[in-house]
Amino acid sequence: MPPVSPDTPDRQPRSVGRRTVLGAAAAAAPVLAGLAAAPAAASTPGGVAGRPPASRRKRCALPGGGDLGPNVLVFDPSTPDIQAKLDEVFRQQESAQFGTGRYALLFKPGTYHGLNAQLGFYTSIAGLGLSPDDTTINGDVTVDAGWFNGNATQNFWRSAENLALVPANGTNRWAVAQAAPFRRMHVRGGLNLAPSGYGWASGGYIADSRIDGQVGPYSQQQWYTRDSVIGSWLNGVWNMVFSGVVGAPVQSFPSPPYTTLDTTPVSREKPFLHLDGDRYRVFLPAKRTNARGVTWGNGTPRGTSLPLTRFYVARPGVSAATLNQALAQGLHLLLTPGIYHLDRPIQVNRPDTVVLGLGYATLVPDNGVTAMKVADVDGVRLAGFLIDAGPVNSPTLLEVGPRGASKDHSANPTTVQDVFVRIGGAGAGLATTSMVINSRHTIVDHTWIWRADHGTGVGWETNRADYGLVVNGDDVLATGLFVEHFNKYDVQWYGQRGRTLFFQNEKAYDAPNQAAIQNGPVKGYAAYKVGDGVTTHEAWGLGSYCFYNVDPTIVQHNGFSAPDRPGVRFHDLLVISLGGQGQYEHVINETGAATSGSSTVPSTVVSYP
């Protein structure tokens, strides 16, 4: 395996984080000709001449279904110049880390030849069959890091779903960082998770996928793979976690750093768009318990399918009031690619409601509201969108269930999948708490909750965000949890019988000094805090890293904090000081050796207590 480059300060200025943005590269490219996002709808007070104002008119029922908009590009095998269109999107999105472009690239069932779909920021590619094998690309779906000098640690916000690939050279490259899911994919060959040159990489997530050949992480620092089938797995750097994966390496943490669970306790795959003849439908996969392997291996997956006419197909510029009207009518929401500004929360009150985003549709609360609130009801599915904090502080950004929610949802849980949160980076953003889970039995399946450490609107108080994820509900399961850089606790878990499979964290780089993070008598806030009243909790494969580059003398007491009782159990924990920028005294509570020096060597605990 090529050596892994530690995040040492001599590679970058001390005043910026290890994911330094290339200023010119981060700027959005000109709007792609012919593919521009729909303009925001104008807001006109009062009514048209001769008609009463809108506030006095009876609202008409909103239609379901409709066109997917200009930023959803749909291809079939006879479409001319597919490669040219893919390249045009990539030129715009390759380095537009904080740009406004959003795109979904959809491929109708069939076979495509000689394509290389390079994916930049806010770009999703997906097949439109019921099985990945319905849509085969003889070619590649590629993520690399040429835009950032071979450093893949900022390859965020892109996805691949529901395709079969026959890689041109036998191995597909998918060198990603956070918020870049690889779902329902069949790679008829190998999968390389590192950038060209084996530079830094910080991913990642695979689910419901089959990779016939070898998966090579190489320089990838951490990875979570769920309910999949792989030919083999090459190596591990710090934290590689598998649950329900046929072909996974055996449990061996910390050397190699593999955490392997035979099954996933509960899972329900993400909803996806598909074609039935020439009509769009949304497939809703069924819940599985003790899941192992892919859902689609024996043909049509288990679940139900809804016609697009049951969805309000939203375009950027639509108001929160209209979205709420659609939900009140009994429609689901399909958010087409773009940015949606909200002056009030989206209220999801009906059981079994689906809110599905395409192409990283982005919700921005403009006036300090919560972007979305979900009632304490069965079976809500939230999937595939980004919440970007606005310039006025929001107390929360996403709430699943009201405070005190207590209903049993074990038969039909709510799922939060590929729902990502960002505070700052694209501009000023503030939020006290990002995501709150109050409803019991909720499954949080792959999220990245990020207080930005680079971009614009970034600073210890400029994009203040004290708490990342707060779990108050009982029986909540997190599979693939990434939470980073919050001013205080990144995760607080107060519900009983909670479980986490894989956790990745970095403490806030920009703490100005020890006093700024002091937690009473404790040095710093733990990355993952289990509440003192919790009697049962279990977690596997957790890592917390510090990179206090503003004040490298900062000491963090531990990465993990939990009540010391038999029912609260942790497996395979690590903390790392990146390049010696700050230090941990312990791994969990008072257990685990301190990190030391600048060698970027993990301190590990295999089992606690």
Side-chain angles (χ1 to χ4, degrees), residues 295-325:
T295 63
W296 46 270
N298 296 316
T300 303
R302 290 191 304 116
T304 58
S305 184
L306 298 174
L308 193 64
T309 53
R310 296 276 302 277
F311 285 77
Y312 177 70
V313 179
R315 299 280 196 95
V318 69
S319 69
T322 299
L323 297 174
N324 284 331
Q325 181 188 346

Side-chain angles (χ1 to χ4, degrees), residues 188-213:
R188 299 175 191 163
L191 187 65
N192 184 341
L193 304 179
S196 301
Y198 304 101
W200 299 340
S202 181
Y205 176 92
I206 294 171
D208 200 24
S209 294
R210 181 186 295 273
I211 292 88
D212 293 344

Side-chain angles (χ1 to χ4, degrees), residues 133-149:
D133 289 327
D134 293 340
T135 311
T136 298
I137 293 178
N138 288 299
D140 298 87
V141 172
T142 302
V143 178
D144 206 343
W147 75 278
F148 199 41
N149 295 329

Side-chain angles (χ1 to χ4, degrees), residues 548-573:
Y548 289 120
N549 64 322
V550 175
D551 181 357
T553 68
I554 289 176
V555 175
Q556 176 83 24
H557 183 66
N558 51 34
F560 306 93
S561 176
D564 189 5
R565 50 177 61 104
V568 178
R569 297 178 292 173
F570 288 81
H571 312 272
D572 300 356
L573 300 155

